[in-house]
Amino acid sequence: MRRRGARSRERARGSSSRQFAPERGAWALGRLGVWAAGRWERKSLWVAEEARMATPSKKTSTPSPQASKRALPRDPSSEVPSKRKNSAPQLPLLQSSGPFVEGSIVRISMENFLTYDICEVSPGPHLNMIVGANGTGKSSIVCAICLGLAGKPAFMGRADKVGFFVKRGCSRGMVEIELFRASGNLVITREIDVAKNQSFWFINKKATSQKIVEEKVAALNIQVGNLCQFLPQDKVGEFAKLSKIELLEATEKSVGPPEMHRYHCELKNFRENEKQLETSCKEKTEYLQKMVQRNERYKQDVERFYERKRHLDLIEMLEAKRPWVEYENVRQEYEEVKLVRDRVKEEVRKLKEGQVPITRRIEEMENERRNLEARIKEKATDIKEATQKCKQKQDVIERKDKHIEELQQALIVKQNEELDRQKRIGNTRKMIEDLQNELKTTENCENLQPQIDAITNDLKRIQDEKALCEGEIIDKRRERETLEKEKKSVDDHIVRFDNLMNQKEDKLRQRFRDTYDAVLWLRNNRDKFKQRVCEPIMLTINMKDNKNAKYIENHIPSNDLRAFVFESQEDMEVFLKEVRDNKKLRVNAVIAPKSSYADKAPSRSLNELKQYGFFSYLRELFDAPDPVMSYLCCQYHIHEVPVGTEKTRERIERVIQETRLKQIYTAEEKYVVKTSFYSNKVISSNTSLKGAQFLTVTVDLEQRRHLEEQLKEIYRKLQAVDSVLIALRETSKHLEHKDNELRQKKKELLERKTKKRQLEQKISSKLGSLKLMEQDTCNLEEEERKASTKIKEINVQKAKLVTELTNLIKICTSLHIQKVDLILQNTTVISEKNKLESDYMAASSQLRLTEQHFIELDENRQRLLQKCKELMKRARQVCNLGAEQTLPQEYQTVFQDLPNTLDEIDALLTEERSRASCFTGLNPTIVQEYTKREEEIEQLTEELKGKKVELDQYRENISQVKERWLNPLKELVEKINEKFSNFFSSMQCAGEVDLHTENETGKGQVLWLMPNPTLGGQGRRIT
């Protein structure tokens, strides 16, 4: 507790005795230890304040005589403090055993500091104690020591700013500490400015910096931040939490020589580095072993890879040599072709020189041939003229022969004509005789005319009947065509109706397959039922307007829409037994009421409801068979449920109140009205109408029935027309047959009537012909004489012509002989010429062949030359050579060991490629990784060797540093143990400080503080 204006000065002297027993209420707050001349002296400032202190004054007062004087030394045996009730506690005066050591606090002066206005404390050279009550300023002296020796404000745990340590209401404060020093005491002054929160430092009344102050303090080995030297009240808990290592280091710093802690730090650093090196060596060794093992696993693959690479390298060399071998082969071939080409060129020259005399001889023979051919042409002309004359004579002779032949032929014709005339005359006379006989036998035909007239009248009548029948047939055909057109039109309408029904059935089949199957079964088994059975209601209902289908589907549940309607209970049981029990189909069936409800009138007329927008009852919206309609009226009262419009919905409240209808339909909603049994209130509920799904297809069944009746009537009319047509065709056929018979009879009668006249005409005609033939006579003897005379004259002319022809033939023969002689000569010349030309042609052919061979050889030479260039270029490209570079020596050396022929190279290439292809599944990355790991293994091995050498050096350094650190430490611990034991003995306790090894390897040291266990103390380790 601070007291404003309080001022006190207390000084206590202590002796060197190690035994004290503080009064009850005394509180040890801190210790301050310093180094002096290489030996450790324990100096502690024990501050105790009594609960009762002098009342503080605002003015600075002089210290009391007791506080300003030093206590006289006393006998240590009599220094047992006792409690004082009325005054400040008496400080035990301990006899001094020697002078101050270097760094001992001689004086502490405070001004405007915490609870003090002005205060000065002069400690003795040994143990000092300040005893007092709480809040009297004991801790303030400790804070002054810390701040005066350049300690941080935060170290004491009271405030983090130095300005907070100035007495409240003051702008400046001061702390001054005088330290003993053999060369002269060191006075450190710290003035504190509250406004700026700054400190001003002075050494021996001279201004200085905080850094210099810290250096001066450190030079005296004063460590305010070391809890083993300076332990503020608020740091006791932190001191208790110090680890063994931290306590050992703090002890070394506080009581050991300066180099001890440095050796300790070096030893720790060496040890940390040793651990890191050991860990690193261990990790690298494990990693090295793993890498070696992994490389061992891949070693075989790497060997196979390199073996494959050797094969590939050999293949590469073979492929590199192959173009050179090809080039050499082509070059040799080029040289051979070039030699053959030069040889053939010389042959061509010789053949051309040998053809010159043959050409000259051929030209001479050609001139001689032309002369002979000219003479042959002249002889041919003479022969042609002679031959022409012979031909003319022959033509004249042939004409004479032909004239003779004509005369002979004319005579023969006349003879044949005379014979034919006689024969015709005989035949005509015989025919005339036959006709005369037939004329005699022919009857009188004058009475046939009435029969012919009667037949003609019958024919006319039959033709009229036939025309009438044909007209009726045409009319009936037209009528039948009209009926067929009507039938087709009605069939089309019925098909359209059936298609609509099929749509409804398709919807039924898609949604309710069992019901659809039951419908099919019903259609095939209607004979099993006694009374009428209606198919599902959704099939039999036919909406008059499909827009209204939504009302019916929302009113009638889907289970009833797909229900079969029966008039008989027995029929329904038969149906359900067959369909449900036997066929396992899920179907619904209902029975129509015995008394029909189909025509039951509604309870209210529709005219009364029209004012509310109603336009119909549900029953009037569709057509259905009587049993279905009766069932729906009975079960769902469709004759009592009106359907309204949007107008109805707008007036719905009025409609409900005035009409008292139980169910109402508006354009898009359904209203159900109920009356409460208890309160008699009207309750209505409405639901939106769902869209229609099944009844949207509208089929006018009445119209379909009408069409079916119309179709039956058309079929009946067609049958009647077909019957009439058959009858008319039979009548027409009968009339045609009768007409043919009458025509045949008329024809026979007409032939009989004209036969006599025809016979007379034929006889007259034949007699005229006979007369003409008898008049046309010929004298055959005279004709023969005239023909013989003419033939003799022609033979005389013919003999003369034959003589002239013989002379001409002789001339012609002589000319032919001369011509043949010339032709033979010409043939000889031509033969010789042909022989020469043949020889020339043979020589020319040989020349052409030789020239062709020369051209081919030259082209082959050019081709080989080009190929040589290409192969050379390719071979250089394969070997990465320039145009002027020669093949390197290493290639030549390798090529010498390889085959020299393409076949051997190709065979070896095939073999090497096959061997290389056997090495499958090889990954180049494995080889790269293997090589990389080999390098890493080698690098790691070298690093591991270096690490091991470094580790050995660290261990050697550790041994050296450990020896330099541990020996002084042991001596220090022995001294501490000696004084610690004496001190505890003075308190009638047993205490020991010893250095222990934490483990067998000796890598850690322990300071062990052990009180006497008989007093309930616990051992404490300081590391």
Side-chain angles (χ1 to χ4, degrees):
M1 179 183 297
R2 293 185 178 180
R3 290 177 172 235
R4 185 177 301 274
R7 181 185 298 168
S8 64
R9 180 179 295 173
E10 299 179 359
R11 180 178 299 171
R13 291 282 181 95
S15 65
S16 61
S17 173
R18 297 181 178 87
Q19 180 177 357
F20 76 95
E23 287 185 314
R24 185 182 299 250
W27 185 20
L29 291 177
R31 293 169 290 175
L32 178 65
V34 297
W35 289 96
R39 64 184 182 85
W40 183 79
E41 287 290 345
R42 177 79 172 179
K43 290 186 178 181
S44 298
L45 178 63
W46 293 87
V47 181
E49 293 183 2
E50 195 177 35
R52 182 167 52 87
M53 291 187 65
T55 303
S57 174
K58 291 183 180 180
K59 296 181 180 180
T60 303
S61 60
T62 58
S64 63
Q66 184 181 0
S68 62
K69 295 180 181 180
R70 289 183 181 271
L72 296 176
R74 293 185 179 182
D75 186 13
S77 61
S78 63
E79 294 181 5
V80 179
S82 61
K83 292 183 181 179
R84 296 186 64 178
K85 298 180 180 179
N86 303 350
S87 62
Q90 293 266 343
L91 293 178
L93 300 177
L94 301 179
Q95 185 177 358
S96 176
S97 62
F100 288 97
V101 296
E102 288 280 336
S104 297
I105 297 176
V106 177
R107 179 175 57 87
I108 304 171
S109 179
M110 296 167 284
E111 183 178 345
N112 296 330
F113 187 80
L114 290 177
T115 60
Y116 297 106
D117 291 335
I118 295 174
C119 180
E120 182 174 323
V121 179
S122 299
H126 298 292
L127 179 63
N128 294 273
M129 293 180 62
I130 299 175
V131 182
N134 290 338
T136 56
K138 302 185 296 297
S139 299
S140 299
I141 298 173
V142 176
C143 292
I145 293 172
C146 177
L147 295 177
L149 296 176
K152 305 294 182 184
F155 176 72
M156 292 172 291
R158 288 175 176 261
D160 56 350
K161 293 182 179 180
V162 71
F164 291 157
F165 290 90
V166 177
K167 187 174 182 180
R168 183 176 300 174
C170 299
S171 60
R172 296 177 69 88
M174 186 272 294
V175 175
E176 186 176 85
I177 297 177
E178 183 178 353
L179 301 175
F180 176 79
R181 195 170 57 177
S183 59
N185 287 355
L186 180 67
V187 180
I188 300 172
T189 305
R190 182 174 187 173
E191 294 182 358
I192 303 170
D193 188 344
V194 177
K196 297 181 181 180
N197 193 34
Q198 287 183 351
S199 297
F200 301 96
W201 295 91
F202 300 90
I203 295 178
N204 297 330
K205 305 302 180 178
K206 293 181 181 180
T208 186
S209 64
Q210 183 177 351
K211 185 177 181 182
I212 295 174
V213 172
E214 290 174 351
E215 291 175 355
K216 295 290 186 179
V217 171
L220 296 172
N221 200 24
I222 297 174
Q223 302 169 12
V224 180
N226 190 343
L227 295 179
C228 286
Q229 274 196 10
F230 184 77
L231 181 60
Q233 175 182 353
D234 296 320
K235 294 291 182 178
V236 174
E238 186 177 340
F239 175 75
K241 293 178 182 179
L242 290 177
S243 65
K244 298 179 290 183
I245 297 174
E246 291 172 342
L247 283 173
L248 177 59
E249 289 179 351
T251 303
E252 289 176 351
K253 291 178 182 178
S254 61
V255 298
E259 64 272 9
M260 180 180 288
H261 183 257
R262 179 168 55 81
Y263 288 152
H264 192 183
C265 292
E266 290 179 2
L267 186 63
K268 286 196 299 182
N269 293 333
F270 284 141
R271 179 56 187 154
E272 288 295 326
N273 293 334
E274 180 191 12
K275 289 181 180 179
Q276 292 178 1
L277 284 172
E278 286 179 350
T279 304
S280 177
C281 290
K282 185 177 179 182
E283 291 175 354
K284 289 183 181 297
T285 303
E286 292 175 355
Y287 183 61
L288 181 62
Q289 290 175 355
K290 290 180 181 178
M291 292 182 69
V292 170
Q293 292 174 1
R294 190 176 299 173
N295 267 17
E296 286 297 325
R297 288 198 300 270
Y298 293 121
K299 186 174 182 180
Q300 186 175 0
D301 291 340
V302 172
E303 291 176 354
R304 293 175 68 243
F305 177 83
Y306 282 116
E307 186 175 356
R308 178 175 177 270
K309 190 174 183 303
R310 286 193 295 274
H311 290 298
L312 294 177
D313 292 341
L314 182 57
I315 290 170
E316 184 180 357
M317 285 293 111
L318 289 170
E319 289 176 348
K321 183 176 180 179
R322 195 177 189 283
W324 292 100
V325 175
E326 287 181 350
Y327 165 75
E328 185 62 27
N329 293 340
V330 173
R331 190 190 63 78
Q332 292 178 1
E333 186 178 356
Y334 168 77
E335 294 296 335
E336 293 175 359
V337 169
K338 185 178 180 182
L339 291 174
V340 175
R341 169 185 168 276
D342 295 341
R343 189 165 57 252
V344 171
K345 185 177 181 180
E346 183 65 22
E347 291 179 2
V348 169
R349 187 185 62 76
K350 291 181 180 178
L351 288 172
K352 286 182 178 180
E353 291 176 355
Q355 281 186 331
V356 174
I358 297 175
T359 303
R360 193 179 300 114
R361 179 62 180 163
I362 288 172
E363 290 175 356
E364 293 175 357
M365 299 298 291
E366 180 65 20
N367 294 330
E368 187 177 357
R369 183 188 66 77
R370 289 196 187 100
N371 293 330
L372 290 173
E373 285 182 353
R375 292 172 62 189
I376 289 170
K377 286 181 179 179
E378 292 176 358
K379 295 296 180 183
T381 302
D382 294 341
I383 291 171
K384 185 176 180 181
E385 293 175 356
T387 303
Q388 188 67 28
K389 291 179 181 179
C390 290
K391 188 176 181 182
Q392 291 175 357
K393 296 296 180 182
Q394 286 178 348
D395 292 340
V396 173
I397 291 171
E398 288 177 357
R399 284 198 297 273
K400 295 297 182 183
D401 290 337
K402 189 174 181 181
H403 191 195
I404 292 171
E405 186 177 355
E406 289 176 354
L407 290 174
Q408 292 176 350
Q409 189 66 30
L411 180 60
I412 292 171
V413 169
K414 288 179 178 180
Q415 291 175 353
N416 291 334
E417 286 178 353
E418 183 62 22
L419 291 174
D420 185 55
R421 187 179 68 82
Q422 294 297 330
K423 187 177 180 181
R424 283 189 285 110
I425 289 172
N427 291 334
T428 302
R429 287 176 178 172
K430 187 176 179 181
M431 288 177 66
I432 291 170
E433 186 178 355
D434 293 335
L435 290 171
Q436 289 175 351
N437 293 332
E438 186 177 357
L439 181 60
K440 291 178 181 179
T441 58
T442 303
E443 63 180 354
N444 192 4
C445 297
E446 293 178 357
N447 54 354
L448 295 177
Q449 187 61 39
Q451 296 179 8
I452 293 172
D453 293 339
I455 292 172
T456 300
N457 293 331
D458 292 338
L459 281 172
K460 186 176 179 181
R461 180 179 55 79
I462 288 171
Q463 287 177 356
D464 292 339
E465 292 178 359
K466 186 177 178 183
L468 182 60
C469 184
E470 290 291 335
E472 290 180 357
I473 288 173
I474 291 171
D475 292 339
K476 293 297 178 183
R477 284 178 179 172
R478 289 176 181 171
E479 184 180 355
R480 192 177 192 285
E481 290 176 358
T482 303
L483 290 173
E484 287 288 344
K485 290 180 181 179
E486 291 180 359
K487 175 179 170 290
K488 187 176 184 302
S489 177
V490 172
D491 283 337
D492 292 341
H493 279 81
I494 291 174
V495 167
R496 285 197 289 273
F497 280 118
D498 290 341
N499 289 337
L500 294 175
M501 286 300 295
N502 289 336
Q503 291 179 16
K504 296 177 73 174
E505 291 176 4
D506 286 341
K507 289 185 178 181
L508 178 65
R509 177 175 54 82
Q510 294 172 5
R511 186 70 181 274
F512 308 109
R513 184 56 187 255
D514 288 356
T515 305
Y516 176 76
D517 294 339
V519 170
L520 298 180
W521 181 88
L522 176 63
R523 290 176 181 175
N524 295 327
N525 298 276
R526 285 191 179 273
D527 55 340
K528 294 184 178 181
F529 304 101
K530 297 177 181 179
Q531 295 186 20
R532 186 177 181 183
V533 179
C534 295
E535 293 181 357
I537 294 175
M538 63 184 296
L539 294 181
T540 56
I541 284 179
N542 181 48
M543 299 300 302
K544 295 179 181 179
D545 187 350
N546 55 10
K547 294 180 181 179
N548 299 324
K550 59 183 178 181
Y551 302 116
I552 305 302
E553 290 194 17
N554 280 274
H555 192 74
I556 304 172
S558 61
N559 286 336
D560 274 0
L561 282 176
R562 59 191 180 98
F564 294 81
V565 181
F566 294 84
E567 293 183 340
S568 168
Q569 179 72 27
E570 184 181 353
D571 288 344
M572 187 176 74
E573 291 176 357
V574 172
F575 175 80
L576 293 177
K577 182 178 180 181
E578 289 290 337
V579 175
R580 279 188 180 176
D581 299 341
N582 297 340
K583 294 187 174 295
K584 307 297 182 183
L585 299 178
R586 293 177 294 177
V587 296
N588 297 333
V590 296
I591 298 178
K594 292 182 179 180
S595 59
S596 178
Y597 284 76
D599 298 327
K600 187 176 181 180
S603 59
R604 301 185 65 172
S605 173
L606 185 62
N607 293 327
E608 297 177 10
L609 301 176
K610 285 186 178 179
Q611 59 177 326
Y612 303 110
F614 293 106
F615 63 89
S616 175
Y617 284 104
L618 287 177
R619 182 176 63 183
E620 278 68 39
L621 296 179
F622 63 93
D623 295 325
D626 188 71
V628 176
M629 187 67 76
S630 177
Y631 170 77
L632 294 177
C633 289
C634 177
Q635 185 70 23
Y636 297 106
H637 307 287
I638 59 176
H639 61 293
E640 296 284 355
V641 180
V643 181
T645 59
E646 192 66 26
K647 178 181 177 182
T648 309
R649 190 187 66 80
E650 293 173 356
R651 305 177 181 180
I652 191 64
E653 293 183 0
R654 179 185 167 193
V655 171
I656 293 172
Q657 292 176 0
E658 295 180 1
T659 59
R660 296 293 181 177
L661 293 170
K662 294 183 179 181
Q663 294 188 51
I664 300 170
Y665 282 93
T666 63
E668 297 295 336
E669 293 178 339
K670 174 184 178 181
Y671 289 85
V672 178
V673 182
K674 295 181 181 179
T675 304
S676 175
F677 181 77
Y678 299 98
S679 62
N680 203 26
K681 291 183 179 180
V682 177
I683 301 171
S684 65
S685 63
N686 64 316
T687 56
S688 298
L689 298 180
K690 298 179 181 178
Q693 297 181 0
F694 305 109
L695 304 180
T696 54
V697 179
T698 302
V699 180
D700 192 346
L701 298 178
E702 186 63 30
Q703 186 179 358
R704 192 179 189 284
R705 283 194 295 272
H706 177 70
L707 289 173
E708 288 179 350
E709 292 175 359
Q710 187 177 353
L711 186 63
K712 291 179 182 177
E713 181 65 22
I714 291 171
Y715 275 120
R716 187 185 62 74
K717 288 180 180 180
L718 281 173
Q719 290 177 358
V721 170
D722 289 339
S723 300
V724 172
L725 278 173
I726 291 170
L728 288 174
R729 287 192 185 100
E730 290 294 331
T731 302
S732 178
K733 187 177 180 182
H734 177 69
L735 292 173
E736 183 71 25
H737 181 69
K738 193 172 182 180
D739 181 74
N740 291 334
E741 288 180 352
L742 291 174
R743 287 180 183 278
Q744 187 64 28
K745 287 180 180 181
K746 183 178 180 181
K747 182 180 178 182
E748 291 176 356
L749 290 174
L750 289 173
E751 287 178 354
R752 286 170 62 190
K753 181 179 179 181
T754 58
K755 187 174 181 183
K756 184 177 180 180
R757 191 184 309 138
Q758 290 175 356
L759 288 174
E760 290 175 352
Q761 290 176 357
K762 285 181 180 180
I763 290 170
S764 175
S765 176
K766 292 295 180 183
L767 288 173
S769 298
L770 179 61
K771 186 177 180 180
L772 290 174
M773 286 186 290
E774 288 177 349
Q775 290 177 359
D776 190 13
T777 59
C778 180
N779 191 355
L780 292 176
E781 293 179 358
E782 183 63 25
E783 292 294 333
E784 290 177 357
R785 186 183 61 76
K786 288 180 180 179
S788 297
T789 302
K790 288 181 180 179
I791 288 171
K792 286 180 181 179
E793 291 176 357
I794 290 170
N795 285 332
V796 172
Q797 295 174 3
K798 184 179 176 182
K800 185 179 179 181
L801 289 171
V802 168
T803 302
E804 292 176 358
L805 178 60
T806 302
N807 293 329
L808 287 173
I809 289 171
K810 289 180 180 179
I811 295 170
C812 187
T813 301
S814 174
L815 290 173
H816 272 291
I817 291 170
Q818 293 175 6
K819 181 182 176 183
V820 169
D821 185 39
L822 291 173
I823 288 172
L824 290 173
Q825 292 178 13
N826 188 32
T827 302
T828 303
V829 171
I830 290 173
S831 177
E832 291 178 0
K833 180 190 172 188
N834 289 339
K835 185 177 180 182
L836 289 173
E837 288 179 348
S838 177
D839 295 340
Y840 180 80
M841 291 299 293
S844 298
S845 176
Q846 185 176 0
L847 178 61
R848 282 196 303 274
L849 291 174
T850 306
E851 287 178 345
Q852 184 67 28
H853 190 201
F854 171 75
I855 292 170
E856 291 175 356
L857 289 172
D858 191 60
E859 290 176 352
N860 194 17
R861 182 187 68 82
Q862 294 291 340
R863 181 181 59 79
L864 290 173
L865 179 60
Q866 185 65 28
K867 190 174 180 181
C868 283
K869 292 179 180 180
E870 291 176 357
L871 290 173
M872 175 59 75
K873 183 178 179 180
R874 191 172 122 210
R876 289 182 178 277
Q877 288 178 351
V878 170
C879 296
N880 297 322
L881 299 177
E884 302 298 330
Q885 290 180 330
T886 59
L887 189 65
Q889 184 62 36
E890 57 269 16
Y891 275 98
Q892 296 179 11
T893 305
V894 174
F895 286 172
Q896 287 177 0
D897 299 332
L898 298 177
N900 295 320
T901 63
L902 287 176
D903 293 338
E904 293 177 352
I905 290 174
D906 290 340
L908 188 56
L909 266 174
T910 303
E911 181 181 355
E912 292 299 322
R913 283 171 182 161
S914 300
R915 290 182 177 178
S917 64
C918 294
F919 296 93
T920 57
L922 298 178
N923 192 350
T925 57
I926 294 176
V927 180
Q928 295 174 3
E929 291 176 0
Y930 180 86
T931 307
K932 186 177 179 181
R933 277 195 296 271
E934 284 290 336
E935 294 174 357
E936 290 181 2
I937 288 169
E938 185 177 354
Q939 184 178 356
L940 278 174
T941 305
E942 294 297 327
E943 289 181 3
L944 196 58
K945 289 180 181 178
K947 293 286 183 184
K948 288 181 178 179
V949 172
E950 187 177 357
L951 182 60
D952 294 338
Q953 290 177 355
Y954 268 110
R955 286 173 178 168
E956 185 178 353
N957 291 336
I958 286 170
S959 300
Q960 295 174 0
V961 174
K962 182 179 178 182
E963 186 177 355
R964 289 198 298 269
W965 166 72
L966 190 57
N967 292 334
L969 180 61
K970 287 179 179 180
E971 295 175 1
L972 178 62
V973 170
E974 288 177 0
K975 291 180 181 180
I976 293 172
N977 182 44
E978 181 182 354
K979 293 187 178 183
F980 188 74
S981 298
N982 294 335
F983 182 70
F984 265 65
S985 296
S986 67
M987 294 189 296
Q988 297 179 0
C989 295
E992 181 182 12
V993 177
D994 193 8
L995 188 66
H996 292 273
T997 302
E998 191 175 42
N999 50 46
E1000 295 180 356
T1001 59
K1003 293 181 181 179
Q1005 304 296 332
V1006 176
L1007 287 176
W1008 182 262
L1009 180 63
M1010 182 180 294
N1012 192 340
T1014 59
L1015 297 179
Q1018 296 294 328
R1020 179 173 180 81
R1021 290 183 177 180
I1022 304 175
T1023 303

